[in-house]
Amino acid sequence: MTNRSDAAMIAMMGALGWGAGYLFSPSGGWTVIGLASGLGLGLLMARVSVRPAVGPSIAAGGLIGAWIGREIIRALCLPGSCTGLEIGGALFSGFGSMIGIGLVVALVVRSFEEYREGGGRL
């Protein structure tokens, strides 16, 4: 059903999900939830024929953006006092970084396709 590139993308998404679960809560069961979510998202991406270079890079950018947003809010608040703001900051910065990285990845992939179609001449 899936080829090697789809299997690689599913594995990368599973690893990203596990890493996200570990990054946000290393002592809880979030690593298992993250792994399951990543594998599920990878299967969905393979089903709708997302390119293996595009899906994981956008997901990784979103996860890193969410982590940075959460850590910024965490640095500004007292420990344990701004949980809602941490979640909001993570969602806001994660969504923004996914959009930004998604645009850059889409433009780069399109430019590579145009370069290949043109015979590789500049």
Side-chain angles (χ1 to χ4, degrees):
M1 182 175 153
T2 60
N3 56 22
R4 283 187 197 192
S5 61
D6 286 344
M9 181 174 59
I10 293 167
M12 285 188 288
M13 290 302 298
L16 281 172
W18 179 85
Y22 185 79
L23 190 66
F24 283 100
S25 180
S27 62
W30 289 101
T31 54
V32 175
I33 293 170
L35 175 65
S37 300
L39 289 173
L41 189 57
L43 284 170
L44 179 66
M45 287 179 180
R47 185 85 152 146
V48 296
S49 300
V50 173
R51 293 183 181 187
V54 173
S57 61
I58 293 173
L63 290 173
I64 291 169
W67 180 69
I68 290 171
R70 186 188 103 180
E71 292 301 317
I72 288 172
I73 300 296
R74 187 178 269 187
L76 296 174
C77 293
L78 294 173
S81 64
C82 296
T83 304
L85 288 175
E86 286 179 23
I87 293 169
L91 290 174
F92 182 75
S93 62
F95 186 69
S97 64
M98 272 181 43
I99 290 173
I101 290 172
L103 289 172
V104 170
V105 167
L107 291 172
V108 167
V109 168
R110 182 175 172 135
S111 69
F112 281 151
E113 286 177 353
E114 289 175 359
Y115 178 75
R116 286 186 190 131
E117 287 175 4
R121 293 183 306 246
L122 291 177

